[in-house]
Amino acid sequence: MKKSITIIGGSVAGLTSALILASAKGENLDFDITIIDEGKGDLRAAAIYNAPMFPQGALANDIYAQIKSQIDSLIKVRYISGKAESVSGSKGGFVTKGAGFDEVKSDYVIFATGAGAFDIKGFEEFVRPHTLIPRPNKVRLEWSGRQELKPGAYVAGIASGVTSMVTTAMGSASEAACAILSDIAGTVAYHHDTPTSRK
Ligand SMILES: Cc1cc2nc3c(=O)[nH]c(=O)nc-3n(C[C@H](O)[C@H](O)[C@H](O)COP(=O)(O)OP(=O)(O)OC[C@H]3O[C@@H](n4cnc5c(N)ncnc54)[C@H](O)[C@@H]3O)c2cc1C
């Protein structure tokens, strides 16, 4: 079974969701993952000293390169540089359109769009003030269940309303990916490895 996932936002949250999904690829499950990113992540302004296992003072480009290399070792992801402008359709048949790229069809969508302005048509109704980032115009998306906006559409990272930390963004992104794995499996699902499972 092959499932297609569009991830909007390719900073630390979007890439983490992709990595979790890629790690679950197996004999009976495969993914067609597209990441659309405008390249304006908050992470670009940061130097990270407080995320476990990260090199001290890690910068965005190095963090992106490291996660992408981990993803690349598991699955081939399509990276699109651009702004997603609308998402229409429903689970199993989402269509993402934007400037400078052809429409992308997918079974699932993850919004890992950060806490800046959110103007993606089709999902504006979910926008709320981001109460844990006490600065003007910071937003989150209102979700229920397991970070689900509506069936098949999930939110990840600080767009989900978590405190603005790399570690919380990654945790939220992992949860969104596992929610999709569970939806596909029809039961609680996640992927675990052991020291010998990939040898
Ligand atoms: C100055 C500063 C210092 C910080 N220091 C630390 C620190 O020391 N430690 C720490 O843990 N955290 C720190 N942070 C917070 C950290 O950077 C964020 O918590 C983290 O980047 C959130 O990750 P994210 O992927 O959820 O969102 P972001 O990193 O904001 O990424 C969101 C991505 O989505 C893209 N996007 C949005 N809309 C669209 C669209 N329509 N189409 C395509 N792409 C889209 C954006 O361009 C962006 O690339 C700092 C933040 C700032 C601003």
Side-chain angles (χ1 to χ4, degrees):
M1 173 179 26
K2 194 166 195 177
K3 294 291 182 184
S4 51
I5 323 275
T6 299
I7 301 174
I8 304 175
S11 183
V12 68
L15 292 172
T16 297
S17 289
L19 178 59
I20 300 293
L21 290 166
S23 75
K25 177 184 167 183
E27 259 177 44
N28 301 317
L29 182 61
D30 198 359
F31 297 101
D32 192 352
I33 300 175
T34 301
I35 299 179
I36 303 168
D37 187 47
E38 213 188 349
K40 296 180 179 171
D42 275 7
L43 193 60
R44 292 192 179 279
I48 304 303
Y49 288 85
N50 50 9
M53 296 294 290
F54 277 47
Q56 289 287 297
L59 299 176
N61 282 342
D62 296 326
I63 295 168
Y64 297 155
Q66 171 62 35
I67 307 175
K68 283 180 179 178
S69 81
Q70 288 180 258
I71 295 168
D72 288 349
S73 71
L74 298 166
I75 209 167
K76 183 166 171 44
V77 165
R78 180 180 171 215
Y79 293 98
I80 294 177
S81 179
K83 177 176 164 60
E85 294 177 334
S86 70
V87 178
S88 57
S90 55
K91 185 170 131 183
F94 286 111
V95 179
T96 303
K97 294 181 180 175
F101 61 90
D102 293 336
E103 66 179 33
V104 181
K105 295 182 178 164
S106 60
D107 297 310
Y108 295 89
V109 177
I110 298 176
F111 293 87
T113 44
F118 182 97
D119 56 3
I120 299 176
K121 289 188 186 62
F123 282 83
E124 306 100 317
E125 69 186 273
F126 299 99
V127 177
R128 303 282 185 278
H130 196 309
T131 52
L132 297 183
I133 306 180
R135 294 204 304 279
N137 306 320
K138 293 296 178 184
V139 299
R140 66 179 174 91
L141 302 179
E142 176 83 352
W143 51 270
S144 58
R146 294 182 70 182
Q147 295 176 209
E148 199 172 41
L149 302 170
K150 60 184 182 185
Y154 297 80
V155 59
I158 56 172
S160 72
V162 294
T163 302
S164 180
M165 298 291 293
V166 162
T167 44
T168 55
M170 293 171 79
S172 153
S174 305
E175 177 57 21
C178 289
I180 290 178
L181 293 178
S182 300
D183 191 72
I184 293 168
T187 186
V188 174
Y190 44 83
H191 181 80
H192 280 179
D193 283 299
T194 67
T196 55
S197 57
R198 291 183 189 269
K199 299 242 161 106

